[in-house]
């Protein structure tokens, strides 16, 4: 028998889109254009609303507006819930951002995360984007289901990461050894036990915060700052990185809110 994750309340939620939250889709408005070559183009006449400067503005805002609201949750080893509030998430993001900057990460030395989704994965991704460090989430299959780690090695060679992170070092030992000659990155792990020598435990990644350094880095992040580098499946060859800017991520969320207005009603719990 399992318990449900914590339920976020719906107080203090903005209602920028004044539509019925029970309706899945916004009322369709479509313009049709027929081109001379026979193609028919369909588009919405509704302009895209203004979006935030960067992803970090959402976290900064909700940490003030609803600091004790649950934001992230996952099962712990005992079967209960490990929960992170908005205020706690922001504090950890600033600490992790300090660690990333102190190790010289930036546009040319991104963060690579090799393990599956989880609270640590989310916090590190948010921390990197908060301070202008691109983050690449690499398919776990390239580490755990490959005999030669060829795709993983190609990705690491292309990225030149300044830091790598895995949820637990032991299962990734073979992968980490396979890519060791290709980078000079610091390797961190949620659980370093059984991994290669030198893996940094999670607690050390967030043991101190330099508020001023993080604030300056956050202020310098703009819409054209690279937020993520996404690698597709590579089913037809070596995976190639696709650059995602802060503008792309933020405008995408704005578009979803306009198409699915119910998203602006319930507070998200991930």
């Amino acid at each position: 028998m399992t318990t449900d994750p914590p339920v976020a309340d719906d107080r203090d939620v903005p209602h920028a889109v004044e539509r019925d939250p029970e309706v899945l889709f916004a009322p369709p408005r479509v313009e049709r254009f027929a081109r001379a070559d026979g193609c028919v183009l369909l588009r919405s006449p509704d302009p895209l609303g203004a979006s935030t400067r960067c992803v970090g503005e959402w976290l900064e805002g909700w940490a003030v507006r609803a600091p004790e609201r649950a934001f992230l949750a996952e099962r712990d080893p005992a079967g209960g819930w490990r929960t992170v509030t908005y205020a706690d998430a922001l504090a950890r993001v600033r600490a992790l951002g300090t660690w990333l900057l102190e190790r010289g990460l930036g546009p040319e030395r991104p963060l690579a995360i090799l393990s599956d989704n989880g609270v640590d994965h989310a916090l590190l991704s948010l921390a990197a984007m908060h301070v202008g460090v691109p983050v690449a989430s690499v398919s776990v299959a390239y580490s755990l289901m490959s005999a030669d780690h060829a795709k993983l090695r190609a990705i690491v060679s292309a990225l030149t990461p300044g830091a790598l992170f895995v949820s637990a070092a032991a299962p990734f030992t073979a992968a980490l050894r396979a890519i060791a000659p290709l980078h000079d990155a610091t390797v961190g792990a949620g659980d370093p036990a059984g991994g290669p020598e030198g893996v940094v435990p999670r607690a050390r990644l967030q043991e101190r915060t330099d508020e001023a350094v993080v604030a300056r880095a956050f202020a310098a992040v703009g819409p054209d700052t690279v937020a993520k580098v996404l690698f597709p499946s590579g089913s037809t060859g070596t995976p190639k990185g696709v650059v995602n800017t802060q503008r792309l991520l933020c405008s995408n969320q704005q578009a979803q809110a306009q198409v699915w207005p119910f998203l602006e009603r319930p507070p998200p719990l991930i």
Side-chain angles (χ1 to χ4, degrees), residues 51-57 130 217-224 246-247 250:
S51 56
T52 56
R53 169 177 63 97
C54 62
V55 170
E57 287 197 344
H130 207 82
F218 178 62
V221 174
D224 294 320
Q246 294 277 352
R247 186 196 313 275
C250 294

Side-chain angles (χ1 to χ4, degrees), residues 60-150:
E60 292 271 354
W62 284 108
V64 172
R65 186 176 297 173
E68 299 307 315
R69 180 182 294 161
F71 170 39
L72 302 167
E74 69 178 354
R75 291 291 187 186
D76 62 26
W81 287 101
R82 174 192 174 194
T83 305
V84 180
T85 65
Y86 279 104
D88 190 22
L90 180 57
R92 297 191 195 192
V93 159
R94 288 172 175 168
L96 291 166
T98 299
W99 185 83
L100 294 172
L101 292 174
E102 289 180 341
R103 273 141 195 83
L105 272 72
E108 304 303 321
R109 288 175 60 78
L111 167 68
I113 301 177
L114 308 187
S115 49
D116 276 330
N117 291 340
V119 167
D120 291 335
H121 190 141
L123 292 173
L124 272 162
S125 294
L126 289 169
M129 290 187 285
H130 207 82
V131 296
V133 174
V135 58
S137 298
V138 181
S139 172
V140 69
Y142 298 157
S143 294
L144 302 186
M145 298 179 65
S146 172
D148 59 8
H149 301 103

Side-chain angles (χ1 to χ4, degrees), residues 10 63 67 96 100 118 139 148 164 171 182 189 209 214 227 243 261 267-268:
D10 62 357
L96 291 166
L100 294 172
S139 172
D148 59 8
L164 295 159
L182 305 176
T209 301
V214 170
V243 170

